[in-house]
Amino acid sequence: METDPHQLRDLIRLALLEDIGDGDHSSLSSVPAEATKRAKLLVKQDGILAGVEVALIIFKETAELYNDPALEIEVLLKDGMPVKRGDIVLTVKGSARLILKAERLVLNTMQRMSGIATYANQMAELIKDLPVKLLDTRKTTPNFRVFEKMAVKIGGGSNHRMGLYDMIMLKDNHVDYAGGIESAITGARKYLQETGKNLKIEIETRNLAEVDEVLRVGQVDIIMLDNFSLEDMRKAVEKIGGRFETEASGNITEKTLREVAETGVDGISSGALTHQARSLDLSLKAF
């Protein structure tokens, strides 16, 4: 997944405006404008660290947005590193008011990203010896997807499609609305030819009969096996025989991941990577 720096900046600035509004009145009323202070970002829970690079952008954008002098930041731990309670991620020095303006967004972002990276790492470890990719989904927080997908990758997972625009994924509703598997695939192929777009086509199947239908029609890149039993998934993989990539989906958690991976699928997508992950506890403390 390519990360657009302009998109990151725009999302960060929207988040800052949401939080600060017409001013951080707590700091304006109690902290002298000329006060220069220091703070350290502390780890309060073991896990995998994520969001350090994003935090640096947040500090930078906060300074630019509010015409404050840039902060002096020393990074001690990097994205993807295992961390434990008591570790110091970074130290920051500069305008006390600026530190306080950026504090909550830095923490909210890093806590969420680190929680996802930690869970993704736990999941990836379960199948690291098997030739299968652990994939994320679009089950993400609105306006925070780019950060959550960055965190999945930091934790050892792989990014699937970013949105509706970078792959044609014919899900069950698309198939039903199109009038069937053949109609959906034919329509997708015609659309790509007419628009000149170069997109992969993935189609969801709900049972072995639908797998047979896709194999008859062809013209796709990936076949999704959605909520298949382990027995049917193995049969589907055998039927497909490497002619198309395969992706398992549906209720994938740390309890089911290993058995699904052992069926021979190429990829396993799990919405749980983002919607079930718990934030990692971090704090920013003056010193």
Side-chain angles (χ1 to χ4, degrees), residues 233-286:
M233 195 173 294
R234 281 189 287 268
K235 289 179 180 178
V237 170
E238 186 176 349
K239 280 176 177 283
I240 295 165
R243 283 175 283 174
F244 305 101
E245 290 183 42
T246 53
E247 175 192 331
S249 180
N251 298 311
I252 306 294
T253 68
E254 66 274 14
K255 296 178 181 179
T256 61
L257 180 64
R258 178 76 189 186
E259 287 185 321
V260 172
E262 289 173 341
T263 65
V265 292
D266 299 302
I268 303 173
S269 58
S270 174
L273 289 173
T274 47
H275 68 64
Q276 292 296 315
R278 298 181 63 182
S279 294
L280 198 73
D281 197 6
L282 306 169
S283 67
L284 192 68
K285 293 296 184 183

Side-chain angles (χ1 to χ4, degrees), residues 34 46 51 54 67 71 81-82 90 92 101 112 125-126 129 132 145 154 160-161 172 180 197 212 236 255 269 271:
E34 68 279 5
D46 296 357
V54 176
N67 297 312
L71 297 167
M81 295 182 65
L90 58 79
V92 57
K101 279 198 284 276
R112 178 72 178 144
E125 283 293 307
L126 295 174
D129 59 321
V132 59
R145 178 177 297 174
I154 288 169
H160 206 358
R161 59 175 179 159
D172 53 355
K197 292 185 178 297
D212 287 336
K255 296 178 181 179
S269 58

